[in-house]
Amino acid sequence: MSNVFGRIERATPPFAALAIAVVAVSTSAILVRFSTAPSIVKAFYRVLFTTLLLVPFAVVRHRDAFSRLTVRDWLVAGAGGVALAIHFASWFESLEFTSVAASVTIVQSQVLFVAIGASWLLAEHVTRRTIAGMALALVGIATLSIGDSLTGAVAGSAPLYGNALALVGAVCAAGYVLAGRSLRQRIPLIPYVIVVYSVCAIVLLALVLADGAALTDYPASEWLLFAGMAIGPGIFGHTVLNWALAHLESSVVSVSLLGEPIGSALLALLLGEVPSALTVVGGAVILLGITVTARA
């Protein structure tokens, strides 16, 4: 079976895989919106099911990799898992209060916070172009939030609060990326994400129990949505994106993710969400800022 997986990887064109991944992650927000379960429950089952789907790959191809992890590796991966849990919890909740277009676009600003964190923690140089990109994105976030607050009919019940939650999700996503940056240079993809996702699922389960939300008694349609979140955005989305990083330049992968807000906004039309002019302008400025930052 290991040889089969190897042949599939070698036969897969990286750009084709990247295109599939962008389409898959674009479905995340719409699947979250279609589900009526509590946000924290949706986040928990997405991560849990994604982890369970990846375990067979870890057993078949990387069963010895876990024993080679050092205490520091476990601690850093665990920190990434905690950051990822907060990211999912805050972002899923943001979709309850603001528009899909706003939430997905703002959460993609994690690229900016990665640049800031890398300069502080990893001593990576921040250029003037990076600073300009961040400034553009911040202007875009402000414009988008103003547009949402003025058009509450399509922006959700509390757009400013929802946008703030999406921004928290972006910061935590950046923490997840920074925690894994050094580890992914030495640890294969599947063992790394198994550890991170497992910690993430445990943290989310604790939040579910603390919130008092029900873990069962959901109709079959909800379980199908939970599974869809894991298979689509989880496996074919983020996991394939991580695989693509081994075959394509990181700047190409980063810029390609700008397709997620566009795809999510188009799918949100199924919910009757037509973004206002200010939302479109703000989103475009954010994407421009992210592009400038990623290229820098």
Side-chain angles (χ1 to χ4, degrees):
M1 186 176 293
S2 178
N3 291 333
V4 173
F5 292 145
R7 287 198 296 271
I8 292 174
E9 287 187 22
R10 289 190 294 271
T12 303
F15 280 104
L18 187 60
I20 292 171
V22 172
V23 172
V25 296
S26 298
T27 65
S28 182
I30 197 74
L31 290 173
V32 172
R33 274 294 192 85
F34 278 142
S35 173
T36 58
S39 298
I40 195 67
V41 172
K42 290 183 271 193
F44 167 66
Y45 279 119
R46 166 178 165 163
V47 177
L48 177 64
F49 289 170
T50 301
T51 306
L52 294 176
L53 288 169
L54 290 173
V55 166
F57 293 89
V59 172
V60 171
R61 302 197 63 188
H62 303 287
R63 66 180 66 185
D64 298 328
F66 296 95
S67 62
R68 294 194 293 270
L69 297 179
T70 66
V71 173
R72 179 185 177 279
D73 293 340
W74 284 99
L75 290 174
V76 174
V82 173
L84 188 62
I86 300 173
H87 158 74
F88 278 127
S90 56
W91 180 51
F92 276 40
E93 185 72 4
S94 80
L95 288 165
E96 300 289 332
F97 296 97
T98 191
S99 66
V100 168
S103 180
V104 176
T105 304
I106 291 175
V107 86
Q108 276 299 336
S109 67
Q110 56 92 8
V111 174
L112 314 179
F113 298 107
V114 169
I116 294 171
S119 67
W120 288 350
L121 302 175
L122 304 177
E124 293 186 4
H125 181 59
V126 177
T127 66
R128 292 181 178 178
R129 181 179 292 181
T130 302
I131 295 173
M134 293 177 186
L136 269 176
L138 290 175
V139 170
I141 290 173
T143 304
L144 185 148
S145 295
I146 292 171
D148 273 355
S149 64
L150 294 177
T151 55
V154 297
S157 59
L160 291 179
Y161 176 63
N163 293 346
L165 285 174
L167 197 59
V168 171
V171 173
C172 292
Y176 158 65
V177 171
L178 290 169
R181 179 170 283 184
S182 61
L183 294 184
R184 277 294 289 120
Q185 296 174 3
R186 299 180 290 101
I187 302 173
L189 169 64
I190 299 299
Y192 168 71
V193 296
I194 287 290
V195 174
V196 173
Y197 290 172
S198 297
V199 172
C200 179
I202 292 171
V203 173
L204 289 172
L205 176 60
L207 293 175
V208 170
L209 297 176
D211 188 57
L215 281 169
T216 56
D217 296 328
Y218 294 107
S221 58
E222 289 294 325
W223 293 106
L224 288 174
L225 287 169
F226 297 156
M229 294 175 203
I231 296 171
I235 300 297
F236 287 99
H238 289 285
T239 302
V240 172
L241 281 171
N242 276 291
W243 175 84
L245 281 169
H247 303 274
L248 298 170
E249 293 182 1
S250 59
S251 60
V252 174
V253 177
S254 296
V255 173
S256 72
L257 281 172
L258 301 183
E260 180 184 357
I262 299 171
S264 296
L266 291 175
L267 288 173
L269 294 175
L270 298 174
L271 298 171
E273 287 191 6
V274 180
S276 67
L278 275 177
T279 300
V280 172
V281 171
V285 174
I286 293 172
L287 296 182
L288 177 60
I290 294 173
T291 302
V292 172
T293 302
R295 290 178 62 85

